[in-house]
Amino acid sequence: MTMFPTKKSQLIENLINFTVKELPRYSEKRNYDLGPPHKNVSKLSPYLRTRFITEEEVLKIAVSNNNLKTIEKFIEEIFWRTYWKGWLESHPWIYDEYLNTSQHQPLPKKTGIKCFDYWKEELLDTGYLHNHSRMWFASIWIFTLGYSWQSGADFFRKNLLDFCPASNTLGWRWVAGLQTINKPYLAMSENINYFTNGRFNPAGQLKEKINYNYIEHNNSYVLPFVKPDKIEFKNFDNLGIILNRNDLSLNYIFKNMEITYECCVYSTKHENKLVNDFNNNILQDIIKNNKSFEITENYNQIFDWLTKKKIKNLILPYETVGNKIFNVKKFKDKLKQLNIQYNFFLRDWDRNAFPHATKGFFKFKKNIPDLINLVDI
Ligand SMILES: Cc1cc2nc3c(=O)[nH]c(=O)nc-3n(C[C@H](O)[C@H](O)[C@H](O)COP(=O)(O)OP(=O)(O)OC[C@H]3O[C@@H](n4cnc5c(N)ncnc54)[C@H](O)[C@@H]3O)c2cc1C
């Protein structure tokens, strides 16, 4: 059975199974990478990243099968993505700096470090790596092999099903010691041996000590997160919604409010076939369950659709740093020309959390109980 189903019904069935069988012991087992099919972790990241399923939906299912107290660690992990996304909103130049400094560094076919070579193949074959292996892989990439963290982040960007600009860039920076200054993450062979249950032991092959003296530059100021105004269409007549990889279930908010709308899904080709097929298949599932939705692949197809459907009010998923699709002058100018009022819709989940994500995760997580109280789970 595939690790990453592309039908929502199957995803929910797997999630229920996971919350019943694995979640009660998640906090004690989550750090072990026992290899595919990675039963001890949820493998939800490709779906949460695109909101094919939302955080609220996941937590509702998790809580219906478990006591809230026993799944605190899982809830905390769910909030890591929210935190990284919010943090990048207040430090947007970090993403530009990464894009400007990244350069391709080809990897040798085999490095001779068994675990590293295995994880590289696992990532290419499945589009996924366990969190602990991402940390070990990134650390070996940077400190043992001497490649730049940016080229490693690029390698992940091209091959992960769940690529997320915030979690990936900041995950790599964290390993490199740039997020928590002068605290790089060093992969240790003993730790790898222990948490892979003896599958790998690269003793003597890793750089386990470094003379680290990195001085972080220009990272001391923070932009306050400016929440966009809440949606204020005078009416919802001729409403259109465009779904894309930033949010594939935004329409449900309006469906639940019993507001009628037209909807299209925007998708572009991904260079990696595995990722491209996964993206196409989850879109097909959305289309199958919503027969009136159309797929669009470029701006012109969208403008044609807007005109054909006589859309006057348009909702687009909010675009966080690194996720720009429509928040560009050319697109917005055309909407104005077509006399279409538009709104980049920020979900309350993010609206409530992002303002707390300016410092470290430890400070951020103190807000989790209040944030949970604000959602309907
Ligand atoms: C170098 C590096 C790069 C990474 N790149 C990405 C990326 O591009 N996209 C991505 O989604 N995650 C990334 N992560 C975070 C993390 O590894 C994955 O989210 C996690 O492994 C997904 O597996 P899971 O769904 O089985 O996790 P579970 O343990 O089941 O966690 C549940 C959910 O919590 C969230 N989560 C858990 N850990 C993290 C974390 N450290 N950061 C952010 N969210 C988290 C995810 O949404 C995940 O689906 C990266 C981590 C590192 C160290």
Side-chain angles (χ1 to χ4, degrees):
M1 200 174 57
T2 171
M3 284 206 295
F4 295 102
T6 50
K7 287 195 170 57
K8 182 124 180 208
S9 51
Q10 183 66 55
L11 172 64
I12 290 186
E13 199 182 315
N14 289 2
L15 177 57
I16 293 172
N17 234 332
F18 172 79
T19 57
V20 172
K21 291 193 186 142
E22 302 292 336
L23 199 49
R25 295 184 64 197
Y26 172 83
S27 65
E28 145 202 358
K29 290 163 77 181
R30 58 180 273 276
N31 272 325
Y32 288 86
D33 181 349
L34 307 173
H38 298 292
K39 282 193 179 158
N40 53 333
V41 285
S42 71
K43 300 179 290 293
L44 282 170
S45 48
Y47 313 103
L48 282 170
R49 185 268 175 268
T50 50
R51 286 199 165 131
F52 186 59
I53 194 164
T54 63
E55 290 87 342
E56 287 98 327
E57 282 175 276
V58 170
L59 293 186
K60 249 185 208 164
I61 294 175
V63 169
S64 69
N65 292 310
N66 293 277
N67 174 314
L68 196 64
K69 214 56 215 134
T70 62
I71 60 166
E72 262 176 359
K73 191 72 200 165
F74 181 66
I75 296 178
E76 216 174 83
E77 293 304 307
I78 297 274
F79 270 101
W80 262 104
R81 174 191 311 285
T82 313
Y83 166 71
W84 282 140
K85 278 166 67 186
W87 193 90
L88 202 57
E89 286 300 288
S90 51
H91 301 76
W93 58 90
I94 295 278
Y95 192 69
D96 293 336
E97 198 176 81
Y98 150 60
L99 292 180
N100 291 336
T101 51
S102 89
Q103 37 173 262
H104 181 62
Q105 284 178 309
L107 256 188
K109 264 204 159 60
K110 289 250 180 284
T111 62
I113 304 169
K114 250 194 192 161
C115 53
F116 183 90
D117 292 338
Y118 175 90
W119 291 322
K120 184 182 134 203
E121 290 308 316
E122 184 183 348
L123 174 57
L124 296 177
D125 286 350
T126 66
Y128 176 84
L129 275 187
H130 183 281
N131 181 57
H132 219 159
S133 294
R134 294 187 201 206
M135 289 158 58
W136 294 321
F137 185 94
S139 180
I140 296 170
W141 180 290
I142 300 167
F143 299 114
T144 299
L145 300 174
Y147 295 120
S148 72
W149 73 264
Q150 293 94 329
S151 63
D154 273 355
F155 182 65
F156 273 20
R157 177 166 59 83
K158 288 183 185 141
N159 296 299
L160 281 171
L161 291 182
D162 64 23
F163 167 67
C164 158
S167 309
N168 192 55
T169 312
L170 303 178
W172 276 87
R173 280 177 52 90
W174 179 82
V175 172
L178 304 175
Q179 280 302 118
T180 34
I181 308 299
N182 280 338
K183 272 200 201 153
Y185 174 78
L186 281 177
M188 302 286 176
S189 50
E190 231 175 78
N191 181 263
I192 294 176
N193 182 32
Y194 185 80
F195 282 106
T196 59
N197 222 357
R199 290 161 66 230
F200 299 109
N201 186 354
Q205 289 189 297
L206 308 184
K207 197 151 184 186
E208 302 196 0
K209 263 200 194 124
I210 49 163
N211 239 344
Y212 204 74
N213 201 11
Y214 187 89
I215 297 168
E216 175 61 321
H217 53 282
N218 212 7
N219 187 15
S220 54
Y221 57 100
V222 174
L223 276 182
F225 176 67
V226 183
K227 295 180 197 176
D229 291 339
K230 277 225 175 200
I231 180 164
E232 232 191 80
F233 289 145
K234 289 199 187 73
N235 58 52
F236 287 97
D237 287 349
N238 301 67
L239 181 68
I241 301 174
I242 304 182
L243 306 180
N244 59 37
R245 66 181 146 82
N246 288 325
D247 198 321
L248 290 171
S249 57
L250 189 57
N251 57 308
Y252 281 97
I253 295 178
F254 297 88
K255 199 172 182 176
N256 294 341
M257 289 159 74
E258 295 184 358
I259 294 171
T260 49
Y261 57 84
E262 298 286 346
C263 189
C264 81
V265 190
Y266 178 74
S267 152
T268 50
K269 207 167 160 39
H270 194 285
E271 60 188 293
N272 175 315
K273 186 176 177 314
L274 184 90
V275 178
N276 197 49
D277 288 350
F278 175 81
N279 291 344
N280 281 340
N281 290 339
I282 58 175
L283 292 194
Q284 286 311 326
D285 190 58
I286 293 174
I287 298 291
K288 205 181 109 219
N289 293 317
N290 299 279
K291 296 267 177 337
S292 64
F293 290 11
E294 288 180 31
I295 293 190
T296 50
E297 290 172 345
N298 56 50
Y299 282 5
N300 283 338
Q301 288 180 3
I302 289 187
F303 298 136
D304 289 347
W305 175 80
L306 290 166
T307 313
K308 183 175 79 184
K309 297 290 181 188
K310 302 192 171 68
I311 303 299
K312 287 285 159 238
N313 294 297
L314 180 64
I315 308 277
L316 303 146
Y318 187 80
E319 299 181 358
T320 49
V321 174
N323 281 313
K324 218 168 242 191
I325 300 175
F326 297 128
N327 200 355
V328 289
K329 190 171 177 318
K330 187 176 152 203
F331 188 83
K332 293 189 291 189
D333 282 352
K334 182 73 185 178
L335 291 182
K336 274 189 199 134
Q337 198 192 322
L338 292 171
N339 212 6
I340 294 175
Q341 221 196 329
Y342 61 87
N343 183 292
F344 286 91
F345 190 92
L346 181 71
R347 281 178 180 269
D348 285 346
W349 179 277
D350 296 335
R351 181 180 287 278
N352 297 332
F354 285 178
H356 299 292
T358 52
K359 299 220 166 69
F361 186 73
F362 189 71
K363 252 193 150 167
F364 173 83
K365 79 176 186 182
K366 292 187 181 147
N367 299 289
I368 292 179
D370 289 342
L371 293 172
I372 291 285
N373 277 336
L374 289 171
V375 291
D376 170 34
I377 57 165

